[in-house]
């Protein structure tokens, strides 16, 4: 189970020769662990000794306990800020810039907060084994990017400013390919990353534009997002609070209430569009 418009989360196999790692066992049915391992063996992965976690949202880790029951005490690697994982495994902290050797391939962990504080992306360098074709270096983006639309960024985990910084960092790496956790991989990674950043900035400006007068939280959600099913409303409220937190830090918005309900208003003298609100064509 994951957030709309998606219904599934990708689990990724990275293999070099017979050695392999799995990234994000998000499946909910324990029986899927057997199907997953059979698929891995079918792809030549006979030495699967590590599991990498992009972040600890349930749709990325729900199957971890079932997988460990079948694999035994293999290493589980996640960011040091990661929340408790299913099955309470012993976690190897994976800090920014740490390089993991996998046969002839190299996987580098990149701390990319924004969607979640413990979010990692994994840069994958080409395999050098004679049995594997040499391909271009790319990146497993986790929830930094989605196959359509944009990743959800909401409080308490989400941070819009950190997200934009993470997207720009990955964009400057110019990955040849991007693997997303939800939806199809983009054909043009650079364009997809730039579009994701542009969408986030455009949404932030929409919040400022909606504050043509002081508004409370639910009213802001209605103006900016429009009609939405009641079941999804808590996620929209959390996303709006993340946008407001960014605008409050920038002093473009003031909080005139006593709690998260607001009201919120534009800071006096601040225009709808910030001086740095325009995205340059060469800059995500």
């Amino acid at each position: 189970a994951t957030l709309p418009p998606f219904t599934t989360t990708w689990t990724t196999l990275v293999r070099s020769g017979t050695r392999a790692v799995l990234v994000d066992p998000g499946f909910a049915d324990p029986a899927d662990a057997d199907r997953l391992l059979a698929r891995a063996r079918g792809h030549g992965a006979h030495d699967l000794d590590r599991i990498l976690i992009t972040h600890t949202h349930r749709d990325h880790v729900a199957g971890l306990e079932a997988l460990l029951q079948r694999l035994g005490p293999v290493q589980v690697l996640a960011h040091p800020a990661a929340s408790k994982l299913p099955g309470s495994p012993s976690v190897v902290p994976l800090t920014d810039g740490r390089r993991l050797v996998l046969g002839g391939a190299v996987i580098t962990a990149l701390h990319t907060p924004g969607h979640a504080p413990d979010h990692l992306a994994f840069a994958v360098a080409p395999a050098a084994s004679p049995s594997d074709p040499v391909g271009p270096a790319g990146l497993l983006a986790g929830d930094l990017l989605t196959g359509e639309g944009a990743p959800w960024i909401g409080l308490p985990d989400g941070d819009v400013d950190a997200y934009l910084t993470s997207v720009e960092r990955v964009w400057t790496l110019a990955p040849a390919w991007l693997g997303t956790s939800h939806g199809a991989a983009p054909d043009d990674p650079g364009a997809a990353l730039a579009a994701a950043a542009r969408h986030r900035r455009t949404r932030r400006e929409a919040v400022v534009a909606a504050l043509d007068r002081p508004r409370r939280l639910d009213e802001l959600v209605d103006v900016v997002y429009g009609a939405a099913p009641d079941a999804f409303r808590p996620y929209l409220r959390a996303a709006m609070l993340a946008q407001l937190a960014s605008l409050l830090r920038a002093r473009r918005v003031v909080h005139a209430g006593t709690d998260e309900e607001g009201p919120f208003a534009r800071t006096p003298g601040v225009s709808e569009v910030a001086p740095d609100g325009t995205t340059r064509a060469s800059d995500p």
Side-chain angles (χ1 to χ4, degrees), residues 143-159:
D143 279 359
L144 187 70
L145 200 71
T146 51
E148 62 180 279
W152 178 73
I153 299 176
L155 294 188
D157 285 355
D159 185 315

Side-chain angles (χ1 to χ4, degrees), residues 135-242:
L139 189 120
L140 299 176
D143 279 359
L144 187 70
L145 200 71
T146 51
E148 62 180 279
W152 178 73
I153 299 176
L155 294 188
D157 285 355
D159 185 315
V160 171
D161 299 322
Y163 175 79
L164 288 168
T165 299
S166 294
V167 170
E168 182 170 5
R169 179 189 185 188
V170 169
W171 182 84
T172 60
L173 297 176
W177 54 264
L178 278 174
T180 58
S181 291
H182 305 284
D187 294 328
D188 186 335
L193 288 162
R198 187 164 57 249
H199 169 86
R200 197 61 56 187
R201 291 192 175 101
T202 300
R203 183 73 79 186
R204 188 168 55 186
E205 296 308 323
V207 175
V208 178
L211 290 171
D212 52 347
R213 60 178 176 81
R215 297 183 190 270
R216 296 182 67 79
L217 179 61
D218 280 319
E219 187 182 8
L220 260 179
V221 169
D222 291 337
V223 172
V224 174
Y225 292 105
D230 288 344
F232 203 60
R233 194 168 187 85
Y235 298 102
L236 296 180
R237 281 170 55 91
M240 179 59 70
L241 287 169

Side-chain angles (χ1 to χ4, degrees), residues 13-22 36-50 70-72 74 102-103 131-132:
L13 176 75
V14 183
R15 179 187 64 83
S16 177
T18 61
R19 297 200 63 197
V21 300
L22 277 176
L36 185 63
L37 292 175
R39 285 287 297 273
R41 287 191 292 270
H43 283 286
H46 299 291
D47 185 10
L48 203 165
D49 63 353
R50 282 172 288 185
R70 289 152 177 80
L71 289 174
V74 300
L102 177 68
S131 62
D132 287 337

